[in-house]
């Protein structure tokens, strides 16, 4: 069955430190890849997406993500975290062979300490 | 900007009540979705629709139904609410028809069934 794995349930980083959130998926072909962010009590906001082309994609709020086909990964990164980045982050994957639906990871909660 | 609105941010209902959750999008999107979000489980798809009066079951449709009478509006119905339906409900939309991947989300409705 299709799956999207975010291995870290919680991550705590210091303000100003770098961040990497991991995402792995179990699809054969190149899927469509997304990262969403959810602030407390809010809906999901699209941070960035990968469909094809350059495997390093830039998003909003200073985030970037890199698609690595050999590792079936799409990790999210930010060079310097701000306190306002504290939120829950979801990786999502879409693929035609899985019914054209988005499949979401369980989420990673980011805490930022000052 | 795509705007997806949901009729209530917070809702408290009693067991056995019929519950309506409303979602409206203003970007003329063909596809609309209902998810429920529970801690540690990510987002799970309840129902989706790719056209007016069309609906498809998602991964967890039991206990729910939907209605789409107009393109911009997608309603989720709990025929007889139960305590295990206490959750955060998120509506989303996307375009074009049949392209389900880049979804835009509403702010969510936190439903408590007592």
């Amino acid at each position: 069955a299709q799956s999207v794995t975010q291995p870290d349930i919680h991550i705590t980083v210091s303000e100003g430190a770098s961040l990497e959130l991991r995402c792995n998926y179990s699809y054969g072909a190149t899927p469509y890849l997304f990262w969403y962010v959810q602030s407390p009590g809010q809906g999901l906001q699209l941070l960035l997406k990968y469909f094809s082309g350059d495997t390093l994609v830039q998003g909003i709020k200073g985030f970037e993500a890199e698609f690595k086909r050999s590792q079936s990964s799409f990790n999210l990164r930010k060079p310097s975290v701000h306190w306002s980045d504290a939120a829950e982050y979801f990786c999502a994957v879409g693929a035609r062979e899985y019914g054209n639906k988005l499949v979401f990871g369980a989420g990673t909660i980011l805490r930022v300490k000052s | 900007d795509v705007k997806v609105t949901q009729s209530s941010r917070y809702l408290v209902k009693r067991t056995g009540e019929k519950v309506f959750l409303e979602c409206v999008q203003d970007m003329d999107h063909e596809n609309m979705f209902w998810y429920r979000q529970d801690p540690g489980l990510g987002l799970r798809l309840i129902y989706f629709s790719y056209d007016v009066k069309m609906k498809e079951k998602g991964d967890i449709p039991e206990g729910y139904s939907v209605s789409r009478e107009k393109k911009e509006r997608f309603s989720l119905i709990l025929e007889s609410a139960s305590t295990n339906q206490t959750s955060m409900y998120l509506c989303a939309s996307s375009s074009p028809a049949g392209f389900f991947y880049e979804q835009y989300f509403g702010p969510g409705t936190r439903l408590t069934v007592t």
Side-chain angles (χ1 to χ4, degrees):
Chain A
Q2 68 273 28
S3 69
V4 179
T5 303
Q6 293 180 245
D8 303 303
I9 299 173
H10 298 97
I11 281 185
T12 300
V13 299
S14 298
E15 193 169 14
S18 63
L19 170 70
E20 183 170 31
L21 302 182
R22 296 181 290 164
C23 175
N24 293 93
Y25 59 90
S26 63
Y27 296 85
T30 299
Y32 296 87
L33 301 163
F34 304 85
W35 276 100
Y36 286 86
V37 61
Q38 185 180 35
S39 298
Q42 304 297 315
L44 274 67
Q45 181 183 19
L46 181 64
L47 275 178
L48 48 76
K49 62 192 177 190
Y50 173 80
F51 289 179
S52 64
D54 191 346
T55 56
L56 185 64
V57 294
Q58 303 297 320
I60 62 172
K61 305 186 181 192
F63 285 91
E64 66 179 27
E66 185 171 14
F67 168 56
K68 292 187 177 180
R69 184 192 306 275
S70 62
Q71 299 176 18
S72 296
S73 69
F74 189 56
N75 294 348
L76 182 71
R77 300 195 294 248
K78 187 169 185 179
S80 177
V81 168
H82 188 262
W83 63 267
S84 61
D85 293 324
E88 190 162 15
Y89 292 79
F90 292 93
C91 179
V93 180
R96 291 188 190 281
E97 59 264 45
Y98 294 104
N100 281 332
K101 292 183 288 185
L102 266 189
V103 177
F104 287 82
T108 297
I109 296 172
L110 172 64
R111 299 189 178 112
V112 180
K113 58 181 181 180
S114 55
Chain B
D1 276 355
V2 176
K3 190 165 185 184
V4 180
T5 56
Q6 296 182 229
S7 52
S8 305
R9 295 299 304 277
Y10 300 93
L11 211 51
V12 180
K13 296 292 183 181
R14 295 190 182 277
T15 301
E17 279 193 82
K18 190 169 186 175
V19 181
F20 292 87
L21 302 182
E22 305 285 339
C23 175
V24 177
Q25 51 93 7
D26 67 357
M27 283 302 292
D28 203 35
H29 282 178
E30 292 83 1
N31 313 309
M32 296 188 74
F33 310 83
W34 275 107
Y35 293 89
R36 67 176 281 175
Q37 181 183 15
D38 300 288
L41 297 178
L43 276 71
R44 294 179 292 168
L45 182 63
I46 304 172
Y47 268 96
F48 64 100
S49 167
Y50 51 88
D51 199 355
V52 175
K53 297 194 185 294
M54 303 299 292
K55 61 184 179 184
E56 295 281 347
K57 293 180 180 179
D59 299 316
I60 52 163
E62 296 78 19
Y64 304 94
S65 62
V66 290
S67 172
R68 190 157 181 212
E69 297 295 320
K70 293 185 177 182
K71 189 176 184 180
E72 68 272 15
R73 189 179 297 270
F74 193 35
S75 302
L76 180 69
I77 304 155
L78 287 66
E79 295 289 343
S80 178
S82 64
T83 55
N84 62 14
Q85 293 178 309
T86 291
S87 187
M88 171 73 103
Y89 290 88
L90 293 166
C91 175
S93 70
S94 74
S95 187
F99 186 76
F100 297 150
Y101 304 137
E102 188 170 346
Q103 296 180 18
Y104 295 86
F105 285 81
T109 296
R110 185 164 294 283
L111 172 67
T112 301
V113 182
T114 61

